[in-house]
Amino acid sequence: SELALMLKGYVEKDPERFARLAVRLPTRTNPAYYDQVLAGLKAATIPTQLKLDVTRKVFAECANDCGTAIADSLGSVEGTLPDDAVEMLSWLATEHPNPQREMWQEQAERGGKFFGGEAYSNGINSTRGRAAEAIRDLILKDVAYVGRFRETLGRMVQDKSAAVLS
């Protein structure tokens, strides 16, 4: 994880170069590297197609491990997302296993509750919650996304997690 964090710094300095490298990484690359590459590309000004290529690769290889970074990446795309990217974000918002439980209600080892006992803090630190935020951001940029995410929005409001709903 320390090396992956270093990689993020390099990605931020030369995002296009490292995005091109990321699409060539071997299939069994540790997800921590993909996570940090996507984090480094989130605010980068690179061709949208290249950002989507990296995001597609990460989704295909480790969607469960890197779901939050994928959601952040898709939510940051300027321009209109292609249908497959909308489907990825829909899956992350409704099918991803994280969160598995309501940690905000649980006692932490050092006293107090996880996430300060706040459902919202738990939600925004989960994959489904972060995907919901990405969908919100896209809708705020372009109201046409309401129609594209209509079915997903219907499923999202029925999420079993209070943290995600918050």
Side-chain angles (χ1 to χ4, degrees):
S1 61
E2 291 297 320
L3 290 173
L5 194 55
M6 285 177 54
L7 176 62
K8 178 185 175 196
Y10 290 110
V11 172
E12 290 171 340
K13 289 178 185 169
D14 195 352
E16 193 163 337
R17 174 182 179 206
F18 284 93
R20 292 187 191 289
L21 173 66
V23 296
R24 295 179 24 224
L25 289 173
T27 303
R28 298 174 66 130
T29 297
N30 187 307
Y33 292 103
Y34 286 132
D35 229 21
Q36 294 303 321
V37 166
L38 287 178
L41 292 177
K42 182 178 176 185
T45 305
I46 63 170
T48 298
Q49 187 59 47
L50 183 55
K51 187 182 272 190
L52 288 170
D53 288 346
V54 175
T55 306
R56 285 180 180 110
K57 177 179 177 58
V58 176
F59 185 85
E61 293 180 16
C62 49
N64 281 344
D65 294 315
C66 299
T68 300
I70 295 166
D72 289 347
S73 178
L74 292 173
S76 73
V77 168
E78 295 298 327
T80 304
L81 287 178
D83 290 341
D84 70 318
V86 168
E87 290 172 18
M88 284 187 267
L89 201 46
S90 293
W91 183 86
L92 291 169
T94 60
E95 305 297 324
H96 195 280
N98 179 286
Q100 294 180 346
R101 61 188 204 274
E102 300 294 304
M103 287 186 63
W104 63 279
Q105 295 178 331
E106 298 176 12
Q107 286 296 122
E109 290 178 19
R110 296 186 179 162
K113 294 188 177 188
F114 288 105
F115 300 103
E118 297 177 17
Y120 178 74
S121 293
N122 188 175
I124 63 171
N125 286 291
S126 72
T127 298
R128 291 196 314 274
R130 197 73 131 261
E133 285 191 323
I135 291 169
R136 173 206 62 203
D137 293 346
L138 291 168
I139 289 171
L140 289 173
K141 288 182 211 173
D142 183 352
V143 72
Y145 280 113
V146 171
R148 295 184 76 195
F149 284 110
R150 186 170 311 283
E151 182 182 323
T152 301
L153 292 167
R155 292 194 335 246
M156 287 169 59
V157 298
Q158 296 176 6
D159 199 292
K160 63 183 181 251
S161 169
V164 173
L165 289 173
S166 70

